[in-house]
Amino acid sequence: MNNTKACIFDAYGTLFDVNAACRELSLDVGDKWQDLANLWRLRQVEYTWLRNSMNEYVDFWEITSNALDYAMEVLNIKNIKLRDQLLELYLKLEAYPEVKKVLGKIKDKKFRTGILSNGSKKMLDSAVKNAKIENLLDVVISVEECKIYKPSSKVYDLVEIKTNIHKDKVTFFSSNAWDMHAAANYGFKTIWVNRFQGKLERLPGKPNAIVKSLDNIDQLI
């Protein structure tokens, strides 16, 4: 990966802890909090794929809200105040502990840095500001630019459009195996941040490396 010029990161699950909202309100959610977090995230991702197939784009905030409504109904959690609190916290997700430090190391090595995410611009701007990493990112790219979700190649095209860096000089980091496979198949060098002890999918594209967190990734590029 010696010819890397840009390090681009998925946002949710890679830089930002997607379980943080449910965990923070776990006393209110009760012992269903992990089930709620998992189902919410699962439907959130699945709805992006289904809407791609139906050519019915809405922004990620609406998808996130719809997925939460579904998950709460399935788990029989009837609490409008809790719903509103969970969505509010989703705008302020915590970054994983190592994120700020490792982005600083990458910047010190003169790599371009950025986010490429399904998240809406509003959601990403809020999360980046909350994590205090604005000065460590050169670009924050939302699929709102092309109005289609990953794993469409139109999303990955946005990196070159926004940075003027060819895809073979981009290293892409994602905690989502399907996203990593798609990005690798597209032509990015990829590092799978396997935070959740997942397995490789039976899909095209393979990672250049697999790590458990972003710690010390600066040594891989």
Side-chain angles (χ1 to χ4, degrees):
M1 290 186 275
N2 291 337
N3 66 341
T4 294
K5 290 188 176 180
C7 295
I8 304 297
F9 298 83
D10 173 54
Y12 300 113
T14 306
L15 296 180
F16 305 117
D17 183 355
V18 290
N19 290 330
C22 288
R23 187 170 56 244
E24 184 163 335
L25 291 175
S26 59
L27 290 178
D28 298 296
V29 177
D31 57 8
K32 295 180 180 179
W33 83 265
Q34 188 67 67
D35 291 337
L36 179 62
N38 292 343
L39 184 55
W40 184 9
R41 176 60 175 164
L42 177 63
R43 279 298 182 274
Q44 185 189 50
V45 172
E46 288 178 344
Y47 284 173
T48 64
W49 300 337
L50 291 167
R51 283 186 169 277
N52 274 5
S53 296
M54 292 187 281
N55 294 317
E56 289 288 348
Y57 175 85
V58 295
D59 74 23
F60 199 60
W61 183 247
E62 186 169 342
I63 282 180
T64 298
S65 302
N66 291 340
L68 177 59
D69 290 340
Y70 174 87
M72 291 183 73
E73 183 177 356
V74 167
L75 296 171
N76 197 30
I77 300 172
K78 299 175 181 178
N79 189 327
I80 296 298
K81 181 180 177 182
L82 175 63
R83 174 193 183 273
D84 293 343
Q85 288 175 317
L86 286 167
L87 287 172
E88 182 64 25
L89 284 171
Y90 211 90
L91 292 173
K92 301 175 182 177
L93 291 179
E94 301 167 6
Y96 287 103
E98 77 276 14
V99 166
K100 196 168 188 178
K101 181 178 179 181
V102 79
L103 285 176
K105 288 182 178 179
I106 291 171
K107 290 292 289 180
D108 287 344
K109 290 190 171 186
K110 309 303 181 186
F111 294 113
R112 298 284 300 280
T113 58
I115 286 174
L116 177 67
S117 174
N118 280 339
S120 69
K121 188 175 187 305
K122 165 190 166 183
M123 295 171 73
L124 294 173
D125 287 348
S126 179
V128 166
K129 183 177 180 180
N130 187 64
K132 297 180 173 61
I133 56 175
E134 307 101 305
N135 295 334
L136 299 173
L137 296 166
D138 294 302
V139 290
V140 177
I141 306 169
S142 165
V143 299
E144 282 185 346
E145 301 273 356
C146 60
K147 290 185 167 48
I148 192 169
Y149 289 101
K150 297 175 183 177
S152 170
S153 61
K154 292 179 181 178
V155 176
Y156 303 112
D157 284 342
L158 291 173
V159 174
E160 183 170 358
I161 291 169
K162 292 294 182 179
T163 67
N164 202 32
I165 294 173
H166 192 265
K167 62 185 178 181
D168 66 359
K169 293 180 173 58
V170 172
T171 297
F172 181 73
F173 301 79
S174 182
S175 64
N176 301 297
W178 60 268
D179 187 18
M180 176 280 303
H181 281 285
N185 187 61
Y186 172 78
F188 289 158
K189 293 179 286 294
T190 57
I191 295 179
W192 182 25
V193 188
N194 188 13
R195 295 188 185 277
F196 310 111
Q197 293 76 56
K199 304 297 182 184
L200 287 170
E201 303 289 352
R202 274 50 176 181
L203 291 169
K206 300 298 181 186
N208 293 83
I210 301 174
V211 296
K212 293 181 179 180
S213 75
L214 292 172
D215 281 319
N216 303 316
I217 58 166
D218 56 299
Q219 297 174 18
L220 297 176
I221 52 178

